Amino acid sequence: MFKKIFIFLFLIIFQTPLFASDISSSVNRILNSYDFDKNAIISISIKDKNNSKTIYSKSPNKDLNPASAMKLFSSIAAINTLGEDFEFQTAIYKDAGNNFYVKLSGDPLLKEEDLNILAKKFNENYKGRINKIYIDDSIIDLIPYPDSWQVDDTWPSAPKISPYMVDNNTVSVDILLSEDKRDVRFIQRSPYRFSFVNRLQSGASNNIKFIYDEEFNVVNVEGTIASSITGKKIPVLNPRYFFCKKLNDALNKNGIKFNDKFLFAKTPEGAVKIAEFSRPLEVVVKQILNASDNIASEMLFKVAGAKYALSNSPVRPDYNHTFGTTENGINMFIEYYDSIGLDTDEIQIRDGSGVSRYDILHTDWMNDALIKSNFNLEKYLPTANQGTLTKRMRGLENKVYFKTGTHRGTSALTGIIKAKDTTYCYSSIMTNYKINHTLLKAIEDEIVYEIYRTEGQN
């Protein structure tokens, strides 16, 4: 089967004329060439972006899970709510009593060096006495994962979603195996430390399992190890402590001597901004769509949900309550797509990233969303051989722009194909547990190549 794909792509690259005369026959020929399991589900919708005309469809209204393709549609709604000129502003404010408030913004890409820039500006702009320093974390809630995520979606790979996000809430750990393979050492280079309980055994391969005890900040490490591992990313268990340590280090490094404990309160009305670090929304959305960043997607979803809820509520929340929740993100999503004329009763949304197995979209609905939202797909989505499309659709750079999606046994693709005379919206979801998602993606690429060759060269 892989040999067949290779031959097909070889013919495309050298522009042989062996292709069908129209899109429908081309797509059907590709699908019919594979021996799909009888339980496989193939849903495809292709529409002309300029006039919404359906060019091809196969089970376009099937209830299916879009996986990470969901990120494109949640990002579109978030950009509409926040505005394209929105910036994540992590800022320091001062009140009349020389108390300072570090107001967190929900910036999912915040790094240690960003806190250093913020602290440096603070030192440059203020030379007076510091009474207390408060942290305002009210931008989003402290719930680490959406309720719809399953345990396999979280540990050991997923950092906690938190307003206290810095360096992706992970630390690097080296797991070093001695030459005689009798000794394993854990080297931690971050001030944030875990207590590791080492139950690893020497084996033929690295097959390591991390079991977390959050109450005692202990990580039990089990399984087998065959060779040393450097730079293993471990999610921190206490994001607030991790952030406060990074912030304190940044303040001290930049000449702000503050040895008291941080307190926690909402920034009061009338406080004056002293310093800020800003990140454009565009940078965050590109990270979400190019790297398929789950945590960044969920944080953006909550931040946009907060603005939506605040604009629709007569009551401003106090410090013990935030509008930055997954629920408000879902409400924001539904209202936006209702407003542009899509039927949201046909779909089901449980998170912003598509990690949830309970998300349901239709490929026809996905294409209609791309058409009616008038979203600048070329600005935000990766083109061929970029981001999650790396090593895919080579030769179609700047001609296709797609968001991918992957769950076990499922592959999704949504975006545009820029042919010679028109632009096509293409959305597909393929589910087949007997075919791995790598092959499903190869089939997606075959279809995209054929659409472009059939229509793009006429």
Side-chain angles (χ1 to χ4, degrees):
M1 191 171 292
F2 282 107
K3 182 177 180 181
K4 180 177 64 175
I5 294 171
F6 176 79
I7 293 172
F8 184 87
L9 297 182
F10 181 88
L11 294 175
I12 290 172
I13 292 171
F14 288 92
Q15 297 189 358
T16 56
L18 301 176
F19 56 88
S21 60
D22 63 84
I23 289 177
S24 292
S25 59
S26 297
V27 175
N28 285 331
R29 177 176 55 79
I30 292 170
L31 295 177
N32 292 335
S33 70
Y34 289 92
D35 183 21
F36 286 109
D37 181 80
K38 65 180 181 179
N39 296 316
I41 300 173
I42 307 295
S43 175
I44 300 174
S45 173
I46 305 171
K47 293 192 175 187
D48 188 318
K49 191 173 188 295
N50 299 320
N51 57 25
S52 301
K53 179 182 177 181
T54 296
I55 306 301
Y56 176 87
S57 66
K58 180 179 177 64
S59 303
N61 297 309
K62 203 81 170 173
D63 287 349
L64 294 173
N65 181 269
S68 284
M70 173 64 75
K71 292 182 178 69
L72 175 54
F73 303 103
S74 62
S75 294
I76 291 172
I79 290 174
N80 174 77
T81 300
L82 297 171
E84 283 200 283
D85 59 350
F86 176 83
E87 293 185 337
F88 292 86
Q89 293 186 353
T90 305
I92 299 177
Y93 291 81
K94 173 185 172 297
D95 69 12
N98 291 328
N99 297 304
F100 291 83
Y101 300 80
V102 181
K103 189 172 184 179
L104 307 183
S105 65
D107 180 354
L109 307 185
L110 196 69
K111 293 179 173 56
E112 182 177 331
E113 51 262 40
D114 303 333
L115 292 180
N116 280 319
I117 293 171
L118 180 65
K120 182 180 179 180
K121 290 180 179 179
F122 182 20
N123 192 33
E124 291 172 348
N125 297 339
Y126 182 77
K127 301 297 183 181
R129 181 177 64 88
I130 297 176
N131 184 21
K132 300 288 185 182
I133 296 182
Y134 295 85
I135 298 179
D136 180 351
D137 61 4
S138 61
I139 182 66
I140 63 174
D141 64 25
L142 295 169
I143 297 174
Y145 308 110
D147 289 341
S148 60
W149 285 19
Q150 299 177 18
V151 67
D152 290 345
D153 302 324
T154 56
W155 297 110
S157 58
K160 290 184 176 181
I161 301 162
S162 170
Y164 297 99
M165 180 61 68
V166 60
D167 291 336
N168 202 37
N169 280 350
T170 59
V171 296
S172 293
V173 175
D174 296 339
I175 307 174
L176 305 181
L177 180 65
S178 63
E179 288 188 13
D180 62 11
K181 297 191 176 183
R182 293 181 178 180
D183 182 50
V184 177
R185 289 191 301 151
F186 292 82
I187 307 299
Q188 302 184 67
R189 308 188 189 285
S190 169
Y192 182 99
R193 300 300 180 98
F194 291 97
S195 294
F196 288 101
V197 178
N198 178 21
R199 295 191 175 95
L200 285 174
Q201 295 181 353
S202 176
S205 63
N206 288 336
N207 184 14
I208 300 175
K209 183 177 182 179
F210 298 88
I211 303 172
Y212 295 82
D213 186 334
E214 297 199 37
E215 183 178 358
F216 297 103
N217 199 44
V218 169
V219 181
N220 293 281
V221 188
E222 301 177 351
T224 60
I225 183 168
S227 59
S228 296
I229 300 171
T230 58
K232 174 66 178 178
K233 295 294 186 181
I234 306 290
V236 301
L237 298 177
N238 190 330
R240 175 184 277 187
Y241 173 82
F242 185 60
F243 180 90
C244 289
K245 183 67 173 70
K246 296 270 188 179
L247 176 61
N248 189 68
D249 289 348
L251 294 174
N252 288 330
K253 181 179 179 180
N254 289 277
I256 302 166
K257 303 303 179 184
F258 181 75
N259 298 316
D260 201 356
K261 290 182 178 180
F262 293 117
L263 303 175
F264 305 92
K266 195 164 187 177
T267 306
E269 297 288 342
V272 178
K273 186 187 296 183
I274 301 297
E276 71 174 42
F277 176 85
S278 297
R279 193 181 317 278
L281 175 61
E282 178 182 341
V283 173
V284 173
V285 174
K286 284 183 176 180
Q287 166 69 14
I288 291 169
L289 299 183
N290 281 260
S292 204
D293 190 321
N294 293 326
I295 304 303
S297 181
E298 295 300 337
M299 290 183 68
L300 174 61
F301 201 52
K302 289 185 178 186
V303 170
K307 181 173 181 180
Y308 162 79
L310 187 59
S311 66
N312 288 277
S313 173
V315 179
R316 297 183 67 86
D318 58 26
Y319 179 71
N320 295 316
H321 178 77
T322 178
F323 282 152
T325 65
T326 298
E327 181 181 3
N328 282 334
I330 293 170
N331 293 336
M332 175 270 303
F333 184 106
I334 295 298
E335 179 161 308
Y336 169 68
Y337 286 105
D338 279 341
S339 74
I340 63 172
L342 271 71
D343 186 355
T344 54
D345 290 335
E346 295 181 353
I347 63 173
Q348 179 172 282
I349 309 300
R350 292 294 180 264
D351 68 359
S353 64
V355 170
S356 173
R357 270 65 164 180
Y358 299 100
D359 293 325
I360 292 175
L361 294 183
H362 304 155
T363 55
D364 224 30
W365 189 97
M366 293 158 72
N367 274 346
D368 287 342
L370 297 183
I371 294 168
K372 293 186 178 183
S373 66
N374 199 30
F375 181 74
N376 189 344
L377 294 160
E378 296 174 46
K379 180 178 180 180
Y380 294 100
L381 282 174
T383 188
N385 203 27
Q386 288 182 354
T388 57
L389 293 178
T390 298
K391 298 183 180 180
R392 295 186 63 183
M393 306 178 193
R394 287 171 172 170
L396 297 183
E397 288 84 356
N398 303 316
K399 298 179 179 67
V400 298
Y401 297 85
F402 282 112
K403 178 70 193 79
T404 60
T406 307
H407 275 324
R408 186 176 66 87
T410 296
S411 185
L413 190 70
T414 185
I416 57 170
I417 303 167
K418 297 177 65 178
K420 182 177 180 181
D421 297 319
T422 192
T423 297
Y424 293 100
C425 290
Y426 172 93
S427 294
S428 66
I429 301 175
M430 301 185 186
T431 299
N432 189 328
Y433 289 97
K434 292 188 177 180
I435 297 180
N436 66 49
H437 61 75
T438 300
L439 181 54
L440 291 176
K441 292 183 185 305
I443 297 169
E444 292 169 349
D445 290 4
E446 278 195 65
I447 294 172
V448 170
Y449 272 119
E450 188 70 352
I451 294 169
Y452 183 76
R453 276 185 50 75
T454 301
E455 294 297 316
Q457 305 299 319
N458 290 342

